[in-house]
Coordinates of all heavy atoms in Angstrom, one line a residue:
R207 N 212.0 94.4 -123.9 CA 211.7 94.7 -125.3 C 212.1 93.4 -126.1 O 212.9 92.6 -125.6 CB 212.5 95.8 -125.8 CG 211.9 97.2 -125.3 CD 212.7 98.3 -125.8 NE 213.9 98.4 -124.9 CZ 215.0 99.1 -125.2 NH1 215.1 99.7 -126.3 NH2 215.9 99.1 -124.3
P208 N 211.5 93.2 -127.3 CA 211.8 91.9 -128.0 C 213.2 91.7 -128.3 O 213.7 90.5 -128.2 CB 211.0 92.1 -129.3 CG 209.9 93.1 -129.0 CD 210.5 94.0 -127.9
E209 N 214.0 92.7 -128.5 CA 215.5 92.5 -128.8 C 216.3 92.1 -127.5 O 217.4 91.7 -127.6 CB 216.1 93.7 -129.4 CG 216.0 95.0 -128.6 CD 214.8 95.8 -128.9 OE1 213.9 95.4 -129.6 OE2 214.8 97.0 -128.4
E210 N 215.6 92.1 -126.3 CA 216.3 91.7 -125.1 C 216.1 90.2 -124.8 O 216.7 89.7 -123.9 CB 215.8 92.6 -123.9 CG 216.2 94.0 -124.1 CD 215.6 94.9 -123.0 OE1 214.7 94.4 -122.3 OE2 216.1 96.1 -122.9
F211 N 215.2 89.6 -125.5 CA 215.0 88.2 -125.3 C 216.2 87.4 -125.8 O 216.8 87.7 -126.8 CB 213.7 87.7 -126.0 CG 212.5 88.3 -125.4 CD1 211.7 89.1 -126.2 CD2 212.1 88.0 -124.1 CE1 210.5 89.6 -125.7 CE2 210.9 88.6 -123.6 CZ 210.1 89.4 -124.4
P212 N 216.6 86.3 -125.1 CA 217.7 85.5 -125.5 C 217.4 84.8 -126.8 O 216.3 84.3 -127.1 CB 217.9 84.5 -124.4 CG 216.6 84.5 -123.6 CD 216.0 85.8 -123.8
R213 N 218.4 84.7 -127.7 CA 218.3 83.9 -128.9 C 218.4 82.4 -128.6 O 219.1 82.0 -127.7 CB 219.4 84.3 -129.9 CG 219.2 85.7 -130.5 CD 220.1 86.0 -131.6 NE 220.1 85.0 -132.7 CZ 219.2 84.9 -133.6 NH1 218.2 85.7 -133.7 NH2 219.2 83.9 -134.5
L214 N 217.8 81.6 -129.5 CA 217.9 80.2 -129.3 C 219.2 79.7 -129.8 O 219.7 78.7 -129.3 CB 216.8 79.5 -130.1 CG 215.3 79.8 -129.6 CD1 214.3 79.1 -130.5 CD2 215.2 79.3 -128.2
S215 N 219.9 80.4 -130.7 CA 221.2 80.0 -131.2 C 221.9 81.2 -131.7 O 221.3 82.2 -131.9 CB 221.1 78.9 -132.3 OG 220.5 79.6 -133.5
Q216 N 223.2 81.1 -131.8 CA 224.1 82.2 -132.2 C 223.9 82.4 -133.7 O 223.5 81.5 -134.5 CB 225.5 81.9 -132.0 CG 225.9 81.9 -130.5 CD 227.4 81.7 -130.3 OE1 228.0 80.9 -131.0 NE2 227.9 82.3 -129.3
R217 N 224.2 83.6 -134.2 CA 224.1 83.9 -135.6 C 225.5 83.6 -136.2 O 226.5 83.9 -135.6 CB 223.8 85.4 -135.8 CG 222.4 85.8 -135.5 CD 222.2 87.2 -135.9 NE 220.9 87.7 -135.4 CZ 219.8 87.7 -136.2 NH1 219.8 87.2 -137.4 NH2 218.7 88.1 -135.7
Y218 N 225.5 83.0 -137.4 CA 226.7 82.7 -138.1 C 226.5 83.1 -139.5 O 225.5 83.0 -140.1 CB 227.0 81.1 -138.1 CG 227.3 80.6 -136.8 CD1 226.3 79.8 -136.1 CD2 228.5 80.7 -136.2 CE1 226.6 79.3 -134.9 CE2 228.8 80.2 -135.0 CZ 227.9 79.5 -134.3 OH 228.2 78.9 -133.1
R219 N 227.6 83.7 -140.1 CA 227.6 84.0 -141.5 C 227.8 82.7 -142.3 O 228.6 81.9 -141.9 CB 228.7 85.0 -141.8 CG 228.5 86.4 -141.4 CD 229.6 87.2 -141.9 NE 229.4 88.6 -141.4 CZ 229.3 89.6 -142.1 NH1 229.4 89.5 -143.4 NH2 229.2 90.8 -141.6
A220 N 227.1 82.6 -143.4 CA 227.3 81.5 -144.3 C 227.9 82.0 -145.5 O 227.4 83.0 -146.1 CB 225.9 80.8 -144.6
S221 N 229.0 81.5 -145.9 CA 229.7 82.0 -147.1 C 228.9 81.5 -148.3 O 229.1 80.3 -148.7 CB 231.2 81.6 -147.1 OG 231.3 80.2 -147.1
A222 N 228.2 82.4 -148.9 CA 227.3 82.0 -150.1 C 227.2 83.3 -150.9 O 227.1 84.4 -150.4 CB 226.0 81.5 -149.6
E223 N 227.1 83.1 -152.2 CA 226.8 84.2 -153.1 C 225.2 84.2 -153.3 O 224.6 83.3 -153.7 CB 227.4 83.9 -154.5 CG 228.9 83.9 -154.4 CD 229.6 83.7 -155.8 OE1 228.8 83.7 -156.8 OE2 230.8 83.4 -155.8
V224 N 224.7 85.4 -152.9 CA 223.2 85.6 -153.0 C 222.9 86.7 -153.8 O 223.5 87.8 -153.7 CB 222.7 85.8 -151.5 CG1 221.2 86.0 -151.6 CG2 223.0 84.6 -150.6
V225 N 221.9 86.5 -154.7 CA 221.4 87.6 -155.6 C 219.9 87.5 -155.4 O 219.3 86.5 -155.5 CB 221.7 87.4 -157.0 CG1 221.1 88.5 -157.9 CG2 223.2 87.4 -157.3
I226 N 219.3 88.7 -155.0 CA 217.8 88.8 -154.9 C 217.4 89.7 -156.0 O 218.1 90.6 -156.4 CB 217.4 89.3 -153.5 CG1 218.0 90.7 -153.2 CG2 217.7 88.3 -152.4 CD1 217.5 91.3 -151.9
H227 N 216.2 89.4 -156.5 CA 215.6 90.2 -157.6 C 214.4 90.9 -157.0 O 213.3 90.4 -156.9 CB 215.2 89.2 -158.8 CG 216.3 88.5 -159.4 ND1 217.0 89.0 -160.4 CD2 216.9 87.3 -159.0 CE1 218.0 88.1 -160.7 NE2 217.9 87.1 -159.9
V228 N 214.7 92.2 -156.7 CA 213.7 93.0 -156.0 C 212.7 93.6 -157.0 O 213.1 94.3 -157.9 CB 214.3 94.1 -155.2 CG1 213.3 95.0 -154.5 CG2 215.3 93.6 -154.2
P229 N 211.4 93.3 -156.9 CA 210.4 93.9 -157.8 C 210.3 95.4 -157.7 O 210.6 96.0 -156.7 CB 209.1 93.2 -157.4 CG 209.4 92.2 -156.4 CD 210.8 92.4 -155.9
S230 N 209.9 96.0 -158.8 CA 209.7 97.4 -158.8 C 208.6 97.8 -158.0 O 207.6 97.1 -157.9 CB 209.5 97.9 -160.3 OG 209.2 99.3 -160.3
R231 N 208.6 99.0 -157.3 CA 207.5 99.5 -156.5 C 206.6 100.4 -157.3 O 205.7 100.9 -156.7 CB 208.1 100.2 -155.3 CG 208.9 99.3 -154.4 CD 209.5 100.1 -153.2 NE 208.4 100.4 -152.3 CZ 208.5 101.4 -151.3 NH1 209.6 102.1 -151.2 NH2 207.5 101.6 -150.5
R232 N 206.8 100.5 -158.6 CA 206.0 101.4 -159.4 C 204.6 100.8 -159.5 O 204.5 99.6 -159.8 CB 206.6 101.6 -160.8 CG 208.0 102.3 -160.7 CD 208.6 102.4 -162.0 NE 207.8 103.2 -162.9 CZ 208.1 103.5 -164.1 NH1 209.2 103.0 -164.7 NH2 207.3 104.3 -164.9
K233 N 203.6 101.6 -159.4 CA 202.2 101.2 -159.4 C 201.7 101.2 -160.8 O 200.9 100.3 -161.2 CB 201.3 102.1 -158.5 CG 201.8 102.1 -157.1 CD 201.5 100.8 -156.4 CE 201.9 100.9 -154.9 NZ 202.1 99.7 -154.3
V234 N 202.0 102.2 -161.6 CA 201.4 102.3 -163.0 C 202.0 101.3 -164.0 O 201.3 100.5 -164.6 CB 201.4 103.8 -163.5 CG1 200.8 103.9 -164.8 CG2 200.7 104.7 -162.5
M235 N 203.3 101.5 -164.1 CA 204.0 100.6 -165.1 C 205.0 99.8 -164.3 O 206.0 100.4 -163.8 CB 204.7 101.5 -166.2 CG 203.7 102.2 -167.0 SD 204.5 103.3 -168.2 CE 205.4 102.1 -169.2
K236 N 204.8 98.5 -164.2 CA 205.8 97.7 -163.5 C 207.1 97.6 -164.3 O 207.1 97.4 -165.5 CB 205.2 96.3 -163.4 CG 204.0 96.2 -162.5 CD 204.3 96.3 -161.1 CE 203.1 96.1 -160.2 NZ 203.3 96.3 -158.8
G237 N 208.2 97.7 -163.6 CA 209.5 97.6 -164.2 C 210.0 96.2 -164.0 O 209.4 95.3 -163.3
N238 N 211.1 95.8 -164.6 CA 211.7 94.5 -164.4 C 212.4 94.4 -163.0 O 212.9 95.4 -162.5 CB 212.8 94.3 -165.5 CG 212.1 94.0 -166.8 OD1 211.0 93.6 -166.9 ND2 212.9 94.4 -167.9
P239 N 212.3 93.3 -162.4 CA 213.0 93.1 -161.1 C 214.5 93.4 -161.2 O 215.2 93.1 -162.2 CB 212.8 91.6 -160.8 CG 211.6 91.2 -161.5 CD 211.7 92.0 -162.8
K240 N 215.0 94.1 -160.2 CA 216.4 94.6 -160.2 C 217.2 93.6 -159.4 O 217.0 93.3 -158.2 CB 216.4 96.0 -159.5 CG 217.7 96.6 -159.4 CD 217.5 97.9 -158.7 CE 218.8 98.5 -158.2 NZ 218.7 99.7 -157.5
P241 N 218.3 93.0 -160.1 CA 219.1 92.0 -159.3 C 220.0 92.8 -158.3 O 220.6 93.8 -158.7 CB 219.9 91.3 -160.4 CG 219.9 92.2 -161.6 CD 218.6 93.0 -161.5
V242 N 220.1 92.3 -157.1 CA 220.9 93.0 -156.1 C 221.7 91.9 -155.4 O 221.2 90.9 -154.9 CB 220.0 93.6 -155.0 CG1 220.8 94.2 -153.9 CG2 219.1 94.7 -155.7
D243 N 223.1 92.1 -155.3 CA 223.9 91.3 -154.5 C 223.7 91.5 -153.0 O 223.6 92.6 -152.6 CB 225.4 91.5 -154.9 CG 225.7 91.1 -156.3 OD1 225.1 90.1 -156.8 OD2 226.6 91.7 -156.9
A244 N 223.7 90.4 -152.3 CA 223.5 90.5 -150.8 C 224.5 89.6 -150.1 O 225.0 88.7 -150.7 CB 222.1 90.1 -150.5
D245 N 224.7 89.9 -148.8 CA 225.6 89.1 -148.0 C 224.7 88.4 -147.0 O 223.7 89.0 -146.5 CB 226.6 89.9 -147.2 CG 227.6 90.6 -148.1 OD1 228.0 89.9 -149.1 OD2 228.0 91.7 -147.9
V246 N 225.0 87.1 -146.6 CA 224.2 86.4 -145.7 C 224.8 86.5 -144.3 O 226.0 86.2 -144.1 CB 224.2 84.9 -146.1 CG1 223.4 84.1 -145.1 CG2 223.7 84.7 -147.5
L247 N 224.0 87.0 -143.4 CA 224.4 87.1 -142.0 C 224.0 85.9 -141.2 O 224.7 85.5 -140.3 CB 223.9 88.4 -141.3 CG 224.5 89.7 -141.7 CD1 223.9 90.8 -140.8 CD2 226.0 89.7 -141.5
D248 N 222.8 85.5 -141.4 CA 222.3 84.3 -140.7 C 221.5 83.5 -141.6 O 220.6 84.0 -142.3 CB 221.4 84.9 -139.5 CG 220.9 83.8 -138.6 OD1 221.5 82.7 -138.6 OD2 219.9 84.0 -137.9
L249 N 221.7 82.2 -141.6 CA 221.0 81.3 -142.5 C 220.4 80.2 -141.7 O 221.1 79.6 -140.9 CB 222.0 80.8 -143.6 CG 221.4 79.8 -144.6 CD1 220.4 80.5 -145.5 CD2 222.5 79.2 -145.5
S250 N 219.2 79.8 -142.0 CA 218.6 78.7 -141.5 C 217.7 78.0 -142.5 O 217.6 78.5 -143.7 CB 217.6 79.0 -140.3 OG 216.5 79.7 -140.7
V251 N 217.1 76.9 -142.3 CA 216.4 76.2 -143.3 C 215.0 76.9 -143.5 O 214.4 76.6 -144.5 CB 216.1 74.7 -142.9 CG1 217.4 73.9 -142.8 CG2 215.3 74.6 -141.5
A252 N 214.7 77.8 -142.7 CA 213.4 78.5 -142.9 C 213.6 79.9 -143.6 O 212.7 80.4 -144.2 CB 212.7 78.7 -141.5
G253 N 214.8 80.5 -143.4 CA 215.0 81.8 -143.9 C 216.4 82.3 -143.7 O 217.3 81.5 -143.4
A254 N 216.6 83.6 -143.9 CA 217.9 84.2 -143.8 C 217.8 85.7 -143.4 O 216.8 86.3 -143.6 CB 218.7 84.0 -145.1
L255 N 218.9 86.2 -142.8 CA 219.1 87.6 -142.6 C 220.1 88.1 -143.6 O 221.3 87.6 -143.6 CB 219.5 87.9 -141.2 CG 219.7 89.4 -140.8 CD1 218.4 90.1 -141.0 CD2 220.3 89.5 -139.4
L256 N 219.8 89.0 -144.5 CA 220.7 89.4 -145.5 C 221.0 90.9 -145.3 O 220.3 91.7 -144.7 CB 220.0 89.4 -146.9 CG 219.4 88.0 -147.3 CD1 218.7 88.1 -148.7 CD2 220.5 87.0 -147.4
V257 N 222.2 91.3 -145.8 CA 222.6 92.7 -145.8 C 222.6 93.1 -147.3 O 223.3 92.5 -148.1 CB 224.0 92.9 -145.2 CG1 224.4 94.4 -145.3 CG2 224.0 92.4 -143.8
V258 N 221.9 94.2 -147.6 CA 221.8 94.7 -149.0 C 222.2 96.1 -148.9 O 222.2 96.8 -147.9 CB 220.4 94.6 -149.5 CG1 219.9 93.1 -149.6 CG2 219.4 95.4 -148.8
P259 N 222.7 96.7 -150.1 CA 223.1 98.1 -150.1 C 221.9 99.0 -149.8 O 220.7 98.7 -150.0 CB 223.5 98.3 -151.6 CG 223.7 96.9 -152.1 CD 222.9 96.0 -151.4
E260 N 222.2 100.2 -149.2 CA 221.2 101.2 -148.9 C 220.5 101.6 -150.1 O 221.1 101.7 -151.2 CB 221.8 102.4 -148.1 CG 220.9 103.4 -147.7 CD 219.8 103.0 -146.7 OE1 220.1 102.1 -145.9 OE2 218.7 103.5 -146.8
G261 N 219.2 102.0 -150.0 CA 218.5 102.5 -151.2 C 217.7 101.5 -151.9 O 217.0 101.8 -152.8
I262 N 217.8 100.2 -151.5 CA 216.9 99.2 -152.1 C 215.6 99.3 -151.4 O 215.5 99.0 -150.2 CB 217.6 97.8 -152.0 CG1 219.0 97.7 -152.5 CG2 216.7 96.7 -152.6 CD1 219.1 98.1 -154.0
M263 N 214.6 99.6 -152.2 CA 213.2 99.8 -151.7 C 212.4 98.6 -151.9 O 212.3 98.1 -153.0 CB 212.6 101.0 -152.3 CG 213.4 102.3 -152.2 SD 213.6 102.8 -150.5 CE 212.1 103.6 -150.1
A264 N 211.7 98.1 -150.9 CA 210.8 96.9 -151.0 C 209.8 97.0 -149.9 O 209.9 97.7 -148.9 CB 211.7 95.7 -150.8
D265 N 208.7 96.4 -150.2 CA 207.6 96.3 -149.2 C 207.5 95.0 -148.5 O 207.8 93.9 -149.1 CB 206.2 96.5 -149.9 CG 206.1 97.9 -150.6 OD1 206.6 98.9 -149.9 OD2 205.6 98.0 -151.7
I266 N 207.2 95.0 -147.2 CA 207.1 93.8 -146.4 C 206.0 92.9 -147.1 O 204.9 93.4 -147.4 CB 206.8 94.1 -145.0 CG1 208.0 94.8 -144.3 CG2 206.4 92.8 -144.2 CD1 207.8 95.2 -142.9
G267 N 206.3 91.6 -147.2 CA 205.3 90.7 -147.8 C 205.5 90.4 -149.2 O 204.9 89.5 -149.8
I268 N 206.4 91.2 -149.9 CA 206.6 90.9 -151.3 C 207.4 89.6 -151.5 O 208.1 89.2 -150.6 CB 207.4 92.1 -152.1 CG1 208.8 92.2 -151.5 CG2 206.6 93.4 -152.0 CD1 209.7 92.9 -152.4
R269 N 207.2 89.0 -152.6 CA 207.9 87.8 -152.9 C 208.9 88.1 -154.0 O 208.5 88.8 -155.0 CB 206.9 86.7 -153.4 CG 206.1 86.2 -152.2 CD 205.2 85.1 -152.5 NE 204.5 84.8 -151.3 CZ 203.2 84.5 -151.3 NH1 202.5 84.4 -152.4 NH2 202.6 84.2 -150.1
M270 N 210.1 87.6 -153.9 CA 211.1 87.9 -154.9 C 211.9 86.7 -155.2 O 212.0 85.8 -154.4 CB 212.0 89.0 -154.4 CG 212.7 88.8 -153.0 SD 213.5 90.2 -152.4 CE 213.1 90.0 -150.7
K271 N 212.4 86.6 -156.4 CA 213.3 85.5 -156.8 C 214.6 85.7 -156.0 O 215.1 86.8 -155.8 CB 213.6 85.6 -158.3 CG 212.4 85.3 -159.1 CD 212.7 85.3 -160.6 CE 211.5 85.1 -161.4 NZ 211.7 85.2 -162.8
I272 N 215.2 84.6 -155.6 CA 216.5 84.5 -154.9 C 217.3 83.5 -155.6 O 216.9 82.4 -156.0 CB 216.3 84.3 -153.4 CG1 217.6 84.4 -152.7 CG2 215.6 83.0 -153.2 CD1 217.5 84.4 -151.2
E273 N 218.6 83.8 -155.7 CA 219.6 82.8 -156.1 C 220.7 82.7 -155.0 O 221.3 83.7 -154.7 CB 220.2 83.2 -157.4 CG 219.3 83.3 -158.6 CD 219.9 84.0 -159.8 OE1 221.1 84.0 -159.9 OE2 219.1 84.5 -160.7
L274 N 220.9 81.5 -154.5 CA 221.9 81.2 -153.5 C 222.9 80.2 -154.1 O 222.5 79.1 -154.4 CB 221.2 80.7 -152.3 CG 222.1 80.5 -151.1 CD1 221.6 81.3 -149.9 CD2 222.2 79.0 -150.7
N275 N 224.1 80.7 -154.3 CA 225.1 79.8 -155.0 C 224.6 79.2 -156.3 O 224.9 78.1 -156.6 CB 225.6 78.7 -154.1 CG 226.5 79.2 -152.9 OD1 227.0 80.4 -153.0 ND2 226.6 78.4 -151.9
G276 N 223.8 80.0 -157.1 CA 223.3 79.6 -158.4 C 222.0 78.8 -158.3 O 221.5 78.4 -159.4
C277 N 221.5 78.5 -157.1 CA 220.3 77.7 -157.0 C 219.1 78.7 -156.8 O 219.2 79.5 -155.9 CB 220.4 76.8 -155.8 SG 221.8 75.6 -155.9
A278 N 218.1 78.5 -157.6 CA 217.0 79.5 -157.6 C 215.8 79.1 -156.7 O 215.6 77.9 -156.5 CB 216.5 79.7 -159.1
G279 N 215.1 80.1 -156.3 CA 213.9 79.9 -155.5 C 213.2 81.2 -155.3 O 213.5 82.2 -155.9
V280 N 212.2 81.2 -154.4 CA 211.4 82.4 -154.1 C 211.4 82.6 -152.6 O 211.2 81.7 -151.9 CB 209.9 82.3 -154.6 CG1 209.1 83.5 -154.3 CG2 209.9 82.0 -156.1
A281 N 211.6 83.9 -152.2 CA 211.6 84.3 -150.8 C 210.6 85.4 -150.6 O 210.3 86.1 -151.5 CB 213.0 84.7 -150.4
E282 N 210.2 85.5 -149.4 CA 209.2 86.5 -149.0 C 209.9 87.5 -148.0 O 210.6 87.0 -147.0 CB 208.0 85.9 -148.3 CG 206.9 86.9 -147.9 CD 205.7 86.3 -147.4 OE1 205.3 85.2 -147.9 OE2 205.1 86.8 -146.5
L283 N 209.8 88.8 -148.2 CA 210.4 89.7 -147.3 C 209.6 89.8 -146.0 O 208.4 90.2 -146.1 CB 210.5 91.1 -148.0 CG 211.2 92.2 -147.1 CD1 212.7 91.8 -146.8 CD2 211.1 93.5 -147.9
R284 N 210.2 89.5 -144.9 CA 209.4 89.5 -143.6 C 209.7 90.8 -142.8 O 208.8 91.3 -142.1 CB 209.9 88.3 -142.7 CG 209.7 87.0 -143.4 CD 208.3 86.7 -143.8 NE 207.6 86.5 -142.5 CZ 206.3 86.2 -142.5 NH1 205.6 86.1 -143.6 NH2 205.7 86.1 -141.3
N285 N 210.9 91.4 -142.9 CA 211.2 92.6 -142.3 C 212.4 93.3 -142.8 O 213.2 92.6 -143.5 CB 211.3 92.5 -140.7 CG 212.4 91.5 -140.4 OD1 213.6 91.8 -140.7 ND2 212.1 90.4 -139.8
F286 N 212.6 94.6 -142.6 CA 213.8 95.2 -143.0 C 214.1 96.4 -142.0 O 213.1 96.9 -141.4 CB 213.8 95.7 -144.4 CG 212.7 96.8 -144.7 CD1 213.0 98.1 -144.6 CD2 211.5 96.4 -145.1 CE1 212.0 99.1 -144.8 CE2 210.5 97.3 -145.4 CZ 210.7 98.7 -145.2
R287 N 215.3 96.7 -141.8 CA 215.7 97.8 -140.9 C 217.1 98.3 -141.3 O 217.9 97.5 -141.9 CB 215.7 97.4 -139.5 CG 216.7 96.2 -139.1 CD 216.4 95.8 -137.7 NE 217.4 94.7 -137.3 CZ 217.3 93.5 -137.6 NH1 216.2 93.0 -138.3 NH2 218.2 92.6 -137.2
P288 N 217.5 99.5 -141.0 CA 218.8 100.0 -141.4 C 219.9 99.2 -140.6 O 219.7 98.9 -139.5 CB 218.8 101.5 -140.9 CG 217.4 101.8 -140.6 CD 216.6 100.5 -140.4
A289 N 221.0 98.9 -141.3 CA 222.1 98.3 -140.7 C 223.2 99.3 -140.4 O 223.8 99.2 -139.4 CB 222.6 97.2 -141.6
S290 N 223.4 100.2 -141.4 CA 224.4 101.2 -141.2 C 224.1 102.3 -142.2 O 223.0 102.3 -142.8 CB 225.8 100.7 -141.5 OG 226.0 100.3 -142.8
A291 N 225.0 103.3 -142.4 CA 224.7 104.4 -143.3 C 224.6 103.9 -144.7 O 223.9 104.6 -145.6 CB 225.8 105.5 -143.2
D292 N 225.2 102.8 -145.1 CA 225.2 102.4 -146.5 C 224.7 101.0 -146.7 O 224.9 100.4 -147.8 CB 226.6 102.5 -147.0 CG 227.6 101.6 -146.3 OD1 227.3 101.1 -145.2 OD2 228.7 101.4 -146.8

Side-chain angles (χ1 to χ4, degrees):
R207 289 180 276 162
E209 59 267 10
E210 295 173 347
F211 293 117
R213 288 191 52 81
L214 294 177
S215 64
Q216 291 182 325
R217 291 187 186 264
Y218 293 103
R219 284 184 185 240
S221 57
E223 293 179 14
V224 177
V225 176
I226 56 174
H227 299 270
V228 181
S230 173
R231 296 179 74 196
R232 296 176 65 179
K233 301 290 183 198
V234 178
M235 296 177 61
K236 295 282 185 184
N238 289 333
K240 177 179 166 184
V242 176
D243 291 328
D245 294 323
V246 180
L247 285 186
D248 185 21
L249 180 68
S250 72
V251 295
L255 179 64
L256 307 176
V257 178
V258 299
E260 181 64 31
I262 304 302
M263 304 299 277
D265 295 321
I266 292 177
I268 65 161
R269 293 187 180 136
M270 58 190 139
K271 293 180 183 176
I272 184 170
E273 297 173 20
L274 187 123
N275 289 342
C277 303
V280 177
E282 184 174 322
L283 182 63
R284 304 299 292 179
N285 61 61
F286 63 89
R287 62 187 182 279
S290 66
D292 60 347

